[in-house]
Amino acid sequence: MQFYYGNQMPLRVLDEAEFWKRQEEEHTVVIRELVKDLEQEYVEALKEWEKAFAQTHQQVVRYIETVNRSQGQVSQTLFQNILQLTSFCLQQSEQFINFCRSLIDESKPISTNSTAKVVLNHIIVESEYFIGIAQTILYQQM
């Protein structure tokens, strides 16, 4: 985590989202590389997840830049937009967690690959961590 934000919630939550959306994007590649015989439908789904995380990551970066340009004067509109983006990021992570769980349950190559199951469970824990830390930051603001 970067500490350029002091106690400013907008930058703090955006910093977490920026890091974790990049991580989740990379996790899609890790899964594809680890499970070489993964069913094509899951390979394609992971590629779509990768694109979605990249788009979300870029949107978060744009908000970070906007907040930095505002020099600490975050308007109510910008603040509400950041809350909406954060909510979207959390929902996206929840959906990815559910997708990863379905991979564990439904993919034949994963069901027979104990390393893949361990890695997927670790990926789930990391996305859950992001959700928890982002919710904590938001809760502290209220």
Side-chain angles (χ1 to χ4, degrees):
M1 183 186 313
Q2 300 171 21
F3 293 97
Y4 54 76
Y5 41 70
N7 289 327
Q8 297 175 344
M9 185 286 289
L11 281 177
R12 194 164 169 223
V13 75
L14 288 170
D15 184 42
E16 288 292 338
E18 188 271 333
F19 176 80
W20 289 107
K21 290 300 142 179
R22 187 172 0 101
Q23 285 294 111
E24 288 172 325
E25 179 184 350
E26 290 172 3
H27 287 156
T28 66
V29 176
V30 168
I31 296 166
R32 291 194 323 261
E33 291 296 318
L34 179 63
V35 188
K36 293 290 188 188
D37 56 344
L38 188 63
E39 295 92 343
Q40 191 60 35
E41 67 184 281
Y42 295 130
V43 170
E44 294 306 317
L46 285 164
K47 288 178 181 178
E48 290 301 315
W49 276 110
E50 182 180 12
K51 288 178 198 172
F53 287 133
Q55 290 171 346
T56 302
H57 178 259
Q58 286 306 311
Q59 189 172 9
V60 169
V61 168
R62 284 192 295 275
Y63 272 93
I64 290 171
E65 292 167 351
T66 300
V67 171
N68 281 330
R69 282 193 306 273
S70 76
Q71 298 177 347
Q73 302 299 316
V74 176
S75 69
Q76 188 61 31
T77 301
L78 178 57
F79 186 81
Q80 287 303 314
N81 289 342
I82 291 167
L83 290 179
Q84 287 177 336
L85 176 59
T86 303
S87 177
F88 174 80
C89 288
L90 296 175
Q91 290 171 6
Q92 186 180 49
S93 292
E94 282 285 348
Q95 291 169 355
F96 185 61
I97 289 167
N98 291 335
F99 173 74
C100 288
R101 287 185 176 136
S102 72
L103 282 176
I104 294 169
D105 293 340
E106 299 169 12
S107 172
K108 180 71 170 163
I110 290 175
S111 71
T112 59
N113 183 333
S114 59
T115 302
K117 286 192 255 185
V118 168
V119 169
L120 275 158
N121 281 315
H122 180 74
I123 288 169
I124 289 168
V125 167
E126 287 197 345
S127 288
E128 288 173 337
Y129 175 81
F130 163 63
I131 292 168
I133 195 73
Q135 288 175 336
T136 299
I137 293 166
L138 293 173
Y139 179 76
Q140 289 173 350
Q141 195 60 30
M142 297 178 169

